[in-house]
Amino acid sequence: MRFPFRRAALAAAAVLVVSSARVAPAAADDTVADPAQYVNPFVGTAPGGADFGHGGGAGNTFPGATAPLGGVQWSPDTVTYQHGGYAYGDNRIRGFSLTHISGAGCRDYGNVPFMPMLAGDTSGQATFSHANERATPGNYRVTFDNGIGSELTATRRSGIARFTYPATDDRPAALRVDAGKAFNAATGTVDIGTDTLSGFTDSGGFCKSANRYRLYFHAVFDHPFAHVVHPDGKPGAAQVSFGPDVRTVTVRVGVSFVSVDGARGNIVAEQHTNPYDRIRRAARAQWNDWLGRISVGGGTDTQRRVFYTALYHSLLHPSAFSDADGRYPGMDGRIHTTPAGHVQYANFSGWDVYRSQVQLLALLAPHEASDIAQSVLNQGLQAGYFDRWTLANGGTGVMVGDPLPVIASAVYAFGATDFDARGLLRAAMAGRDDKRQRPGHAQYDALGYIPAGTKGVWGSAATTLEYAVSDYALAQLAHSLGDTAAYDTLLKASRNWRNLFNPATGYLQPRAADGTWPAFTPAQKNEYVEGNAAQYTWMVPHDLSGLFTLMGGNAAVTARLDTFFTQLNAGGTQPYAYLGNEPSFDTPWAYDFAGRPDRARDTVRRALATLFSDRPDGLVGNDDLGAMSSWAVWASLGMYPQAPGTGQLALAEPAFPSVVVHRPGGPRMVLVAPDASATSRDIRTLTVTAPQRKGA
């Protein structure tokens, strides 16, 4: 089943009633009033699955304090490194750094750690127990074994911390700030005032790329320093201590990619003079606003924790990049300014998030999603092309395909249209002929596929399929904008996937430039990216009916899918599903297009129950800036944005008896499935109605 969620449908609220053959009764009103209570930010900080060589078997999340789409992620870093900065199995913290990426498979950020200590301590770390640690949306706190307590909360571009020092220890309260430390090699300087620390740090190198960035910071303390020193005489770090009677220290910290003045201005604009507890309460209230845009009723506490934790992780990125005054450094190295009321965003995990995370953002936060699409366009215009994975104000070239234009097309399809969509389409069309944006584009356009072994292309088969998806998404945008010439060109190119279908094997497989088929096995990884032929053969989300016809029809396809889902997370070397990584994300929903929504329901339910939990090991693969968590959110809603660039949703079955989606500035979407439960199996009809207007 597919439910068309087009922009026109947003004019009125939709009520989806999913039931057995009998008429569905109204669901009880037991929706969650304080969704933040169900979020466990530690989910993903411990390995939940095998390490298949694609960033580890953990979600690589972080538990610290941040705002929705925030530019500050003030979070603890353990001595044992794990992408995200925090390894749940380690009981040693070496600092609280200001920036983090949630769920990436490579290291970066972790800038400017703050480490509270007692004067004279040279260990650079402190032990703790999880019993003395707590994380909730917008707030993190821990008490070290040495008695020092740390509490962190955040606004969009700043943070505030409260450190308490044991009254039973007469050593002065102290703190170290290190601008020369990050998850990758870093250098920097710290300028020391009477009660302020400020400076900058230079770092970068995400996934061994040449990407570099400079981050400025400014910190102001509520007590003057009694003693200051640059440890080891190096200007990149500062250690300060306070008077003998000071046992509680509060520090406000702002960050900026523009200047120290920008960092200072962000504190003033977002914190004013509000005390710590008021800012903490405001952070939780903001998270409840965002999380509450999906209200669920019924279900178990575990289901609610899995759902709201996944929703929380889906709303962390992209990150606000411009200052409160709108200034930001562009991909061209120049300072730009956003229009009033708008934000420039950064950190686009393109290959990952285009599949379902940005669609969720567009549904729940259309204003921010429109800014995200405009940010994509700004990056492309400033750099001269669209990179695949951007961090701060630089490209990294990581992963494959042409995903950033897909992001903009996808959010437009879900109603986030307040950006220069025509400019985006023009730039994306020009970028199709740029080898920086599309390696192998000449062969793709001339032959209809990228031949195996093409120089400069990682995974010819995978890249061909990714380009076809991108072309389809852009075609839908062109159609919406009335550009028939671009639409015809792109739609034709989106069918290039067919040139990789080998009727002798029934797989989409690498092909030589002369049209012949090299030696092949379904489990081969060669010419694919983080997956194999069996997994990528299903990656035609925009034309599954065409694929299924070539495969021999629905019955044959259903049998193949049944075998494919014998294992749900088999990794890249086995010819089964790999739901811990992106290329398999949309495959459970393929059953819908083969006329077996019951199989989609069963597979999605099994994946939710076995691959996601509410514990630290609750993710079996990298969360990739919310990509995997967004899959769990959509799965819990019983729907999925199958074809990027469209507003169509493939359906399974909601996990909760009732769901209300509150769209800011728009209508509600209500899903009522009174028979839904962890074991229900008799839901088989769908009714879609729209409430009548008064007087109609």
Side-chain angles (χ1 to χ4, degrees):
M1 294 181 288
R2 287 175 292 168
F3 174 63
F5 188 75
R6 304 183 189 280
R7 290 186 306 282
L10 297 175
V15 178
L16 283 66
V17 180
V18 187
S19 69
S20 60
R22 63 182 174 83
V23 177
D29 186 11
D30 62 346
T31 54
V32 173
D34 177 29
Q37 69 179 299
Y38 290 104
V39 174
N40 180 4
F42 293 108
V43 168
T45 60
D51 182 354
F52 295 117
H54 303 136
N60 293 342
T61 56
F62 62 84
T66 189
L69 307 182
V72 166
Q73 308 85 23
W74 207 352
S75 187
D77 302 323
T78 53
V79 174
T80 299
Y81 176 78
Q82 180 172 289
H83 300 321
Y86 184 94
Y88 192 82
D90 191 359
N91 71 333
R92 301 165 297 166
I93 288 175
R94 63 175 181 82
F96 304 99
S97 57
L98 298 173
T99 57
H100 292 78
I101 305 172
S102 181
C106 292
R107 65 173 69 204
D108 214 328
Y109 279 2
N111 300 106
V112 196
F114 283 60
M115 186 62 185
M117 63 186 69
L118 293 165
D121 184 355
T122 59
S123 67
Q125 60 184 264
T127 60
F128 72 102
S129 167
H130 291 303
N132 297 319
E133 180 187 42
R134 182 144 189 249
T136 59
N139 179 250
Y140 172 87
R141 69 175 186 258
V142 65
T143 299
F144 295 151
D145 294 339
N146 62 14
I148 297 176
S150 301
E151 299 174 86
L152 313 173
T153 192
T155 65
R156 175 166 273 187
R157 303 170 182 86
S158 71
I160 182 170
R162 184 165 59 195
F163 301 112
T164 57
Y165 297 81
T168 56
D169 195 315
D170 60 3
R171 287 177 292 175
L175 183 136
R176 177 178 175 132
V177 175
D178 197 338
K181 184 176 290 185
F183 295 155
N184 286 326
T187 58
T189 63
V190 180
D191 296 323
I192 305 174
T194 57
D195 60 357
T196 63
L197 298 174
S198 59
F200 66 86
T201 182
D202 293 324
S203 189
F206 181 75
C207 280
K208 300 180 180 181
S209 71
N211 180 297
R212 303 288 295 177
Y213 60 86
R214 171 169 287 190
L215 177 74
Y216 297 90
F217 67 94
H218 178 73
V220 55
F221 295 79
D222 64 343
H223 294 285
F225 306 137
H227 181 70
V228 299
V229 66
H230 287 294
D232 303 320
K234 297 180 180 179
Q239 186 166 313
V240 301
S241 61
F242 303 89
D245 296 330
V246 175
R247 295 289 93 181
T248 300
V249 174
T250 300
V251 55
R252 303 174 190 267
V253 183
V255 302
S256 168
F257 287 87
V258 175
S259 66
V260 169
D261 284 342
R264 184 184 297 109
N266 289 336
I267 299 174
V268 174
E270 297 182 352
Q271 296 190 26
H272 308 291
T273 58
N274 292 329
Y276 178 90
D277 287 319
R278 182 177 296 179
I279 295 173
R280 174 185 56 80
R281 288 192 297 267
R284 186 180 181 91
Q286 184 183 28
W287 270 113
N288 267 332
D289 172 41
W290 281 64
L291 295 168
R293 294 177 190 183
I294 304 182
S295 301
V296 301
T300 66
D301 281 350
T302 297
Q303 285 179 300
R304 292 182 177 197
R305 284 192 293 268
V306 169
F307 175 78
Y308 279 113
T309 299
L311 181 57
Y312 168 79
H313 281 139
S314 301
L315 301 175
L316 295 177
H317 296 295
S319 310
F321 188 64
S322 53
D323 286 345
D325 64 6
R327 293 186 302 159
Y328 69 95
M331 300 280 275
D332 54 4
R334 299 176 180 176
I335 301 299
H336 301 262
T337 304
T338 65
H342 295 274
V343 173
Q344 178 73 15
Y345 289 91
N347 306 331
F348 288 94
S349 181
W351 184 81
D352 309 286
V353 299
Y354 85 75
R355 303 167 199 266
S356 62
Q357 189 258 354
V358 294
Q359 291 89 334
L360 184 63
L361 283 178
L363 180 64
L364 301 181
H367 174 74
E368 289 81 1
S370 293
D371 279 357
I372 285 168
Q374 185 64 45
S375 298
V376 166
L377 174 57
N378 293 342
Q379 286 189 354
L381 294 177
Q382 293 158 10
Y385 74 104
F386 292 104
D387 196 81
R388 291 176 287 283
W389 212 119
T390 64
L391 187 138
N393 60 320
T396 69
V398 171
M399 302 312 296
V400 298
D402 191 7
L404 262 64
V406 184
I407 289 174
S409 302
V411 301
Y412 189 93
F414 271 75
T417 59
D418 186 18
F419 68 97
D420 183 6
R422 294 186 183 278
L424 185 285
L425 179 62
R426 287 193 300 270
M429 290 294 289
R432 294 179 75 251
D433 296 325
D434 191 320
K435 66 181 180 180
R436 296 172 299 175
Q437 184 170 323
R438 286 200 175 195
H441 69 85
Q443 297 91 327
Y444 175 82
D445 290 334
L447 299 175
Y449 64 94
I450 301 174
T454 297
K455 186 177 180 180
V457 174
W458 178 21
S460 64
T463 300
T464 297
L465 296 176
E466 293 283 0
Y467 287 170
V469 171
S470 180
D471 286 335
Y472 183 82
L474 283 171
Q476 306 315 300
L477 180 62
H479 185 267
S480 296
L481 298 175
D483 190 333
T484 55
Y487 173 74
D488 291 341
T489 296
L490 292 162
L491 191 65
K492 179 181 178 181
S494 74
R495 302 187 183 105
N496 280 344
W497 67 267
R498 292 172 176 264
N499 297 314
L500 297 186
F501 186 82
N502 185 349
T505 64
Y507 286 89
L508 297 176
Q509 61 186 75
R511 196 168 189 176
D514 62 4
T516 58
W517 304 99
F520 168 81
T521 65
Q524 79 174 49
K525 297 189 296 181
N526 186 39
E527 301 297 344
Y528 300 93
V529 175
E530 295 193 1
N532 58 44
Q535 293 152 5
Y536 270 90
T537 288
W538 304 105
M539 213 197 84
V540 190
H542 58 290
D543 193 8
L544 287 173
S545 60
L547 175 66
F548 292 176
T549 297
L550 295 178
M551 285 181 165
N554 288 350
V557 165
T558 299
R560 284 186 65 168
L561 285 170
D562 288 347
T563 299
F564 185 70
F565 286 112
T566 300
Q567 297 183 42
L568 294 179
N569 192 44
T573 62
Q574 300 295 318
Y576 304 106
Y578 184 11
L579 289 176
N581 208 18
E582 282 72 13
S584 288
F585 273 12
D586 63 357
T587 314
W589 312 90
Y591 277 116
D592 280 353
F593 298 80
R596 294 303 303 268
D598 58 320
R599 291 279 213 275
R601 174 201 64 198
D602 292 346
T603 305
V604 169
R605 176 189 293 146
R606 185 159 55 102
L608 271 175
T610 59
L611 303 184
F612 298 88
S613 79
D614 59 350
R615 303 183 306 268
D617 61 352
L619 291 172
V620 298
N622 302 163
D623 204 38
D624 287 318
L625 284 72
M628 190 166 180
S629 286
S630 69
W631 189 96
V633 172
W634 285 112
S636 297
L637 299 180
M639 54 182 68
Y640 190 78
Q642 185 77 5
T646 76
Q648 290 187 339
L649 296 168
L651 299 182
E653 175 187 313
F656 299 95
S658 68
V659 178
V660 182
V661 179
H662 307 269
R663 196 167 195 264
R668 298 185 306 162
M669 185 186 344
V670 182
L671 293 82
V672 182
D675 298 322
S677 72
T679 58
S680 61
R681 299 184 60 84
D682 63 343
I683 294 177
R684 55 184 182 273
T685 64
L686 170 70
T687 303
V688 181
T689 63
Q692 290 185 339
R693 296 179 180 177
K694 291 182 179 180

